[in-house]
């Protein structure tokens, strides 16, 4: 996962606030316009991440030493946004990783603090998430789908039939402890 844009359509180092579409955008096909929009989105995300890291007034030390805490520190801008839709788990995990990797002797006290109870609760949550991912991976292999639940069109009917069976088995073996990963309309950290 990276916020870095390496495409050729836009220049994320351009000092202007918005990256302008090409002047001939209206003459491009719909597919080409979608490609340009996607590149613009990725380039703006790159600019926003750089701006956050460079202009941060709240974590100047973290910004200064971000390379020492790579890759965890580079994920923070994206994870803060992602926490709004997918919950705080991965943000908490990344903050915990920074806390664990912090070199107090070199950098002084860590600006992130966890109590012993929070450390134990985080460890339990991490183990449960790992268990959930393991179980979801087995269900995905059985259904023949990718991480976002997509199956080829010609296998859709069979996948729907299998989904009902897998869901019933899931509830019988996992109970309410691990949410079923393929619930229409439910949040998923796998979605892009």
């Amino acid at each position: 996962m990276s916020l870095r844009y390496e495409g050729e359509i836009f220049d994320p180092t351009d000092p202007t606030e918005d990256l302008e579409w090409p002047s001939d955008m209206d003459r491009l096909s719909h597919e080409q316009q979608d490609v340009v929009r996607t590149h613009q989105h990725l380039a703006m995300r790159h600019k926003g991440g750089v701006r956050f890291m460079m202009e941060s007034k709240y974590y100047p030390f973290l910004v200064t030493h971000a390379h020492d805490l790579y890759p965890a520190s580079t994920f923070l801008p994206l994870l803060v946004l992602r926490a709004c839709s997918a919950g705080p788990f991965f943000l908490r995990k990344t903050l915990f990783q920074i806390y664990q990797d912090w070199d107090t002797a070199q950098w002084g006290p860590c600006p992130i603090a966890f109590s012993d109870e929070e450390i134990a609760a985080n460890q339990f949550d991490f183990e449960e998430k790992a268990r959930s991912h393991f179980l979801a991976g087995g269900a995905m292999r059985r259904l023949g789908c990718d991480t976002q639940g997509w199956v080829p069109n010609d296998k859709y009917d069979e996948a729907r039939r299998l989904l009902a069976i897998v869901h019933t088995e899931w509830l019988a073996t996992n109970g309410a402890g691990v949410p079923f990963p393929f619930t229409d309309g439910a949040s998923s950290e796998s979605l892009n």
Side-chain angles (χ1 to χ4, degrees), residues 29-50:
S29 70
H30 290 293
E31 291 81 12
Q32 291 170 321
Q33 288 179 8
D34 286 343
V35 168
V36 169
R37 286 186 190 100
T38 300
H39 276 261
Q40 183 192 37
H41 171 76
L42 295 173
M44 289 298 289
R45 186 173 71 174
H46 173 115
K47 283 180 66 153
V50 169

Side-chain angles (χ1 to χ4, degrees), residues 34-105:
D34 286 343
V35 168
V36 169
R37 286 186 190 100
T38 300
H39 276 261
Q40 183 192 37
H41 171 76
L42 295 173
M44 289 298 289
R45 186 173 71 174
H46 173 115
K47 283 180 66 153
V50 169
R51 187 179 312 116
F52 172 82
M53 295 300 281
M54 298 310 286
E55 295 178 358
S56 176
K57 295 182 178 123
Y58 302 105
Y59 304 102
F61 189 84
L62 185 60
V63 171
T64 304
H65 295 282
H67 62 283
D68 295 323
L69 296 169
Y70 177 84
S73 62
T74 60
F75 297 149
L76 287 177
L78 180 62
L79 291 173
V80 167
L81 296 174
R82 187 76 177 166
C84 296
S85 62
F89 175 80
F90 289 105
L91 176 61
R92 247 190 21 237
K93 182 176 181 195
T94 302
L95 291 173
F96 188 72
Q97 187 65 48
I98 290 171
Y99 172 76
Q100 286 182 316
D101 294 346
W102 194 267
D103 186 351
T104 305

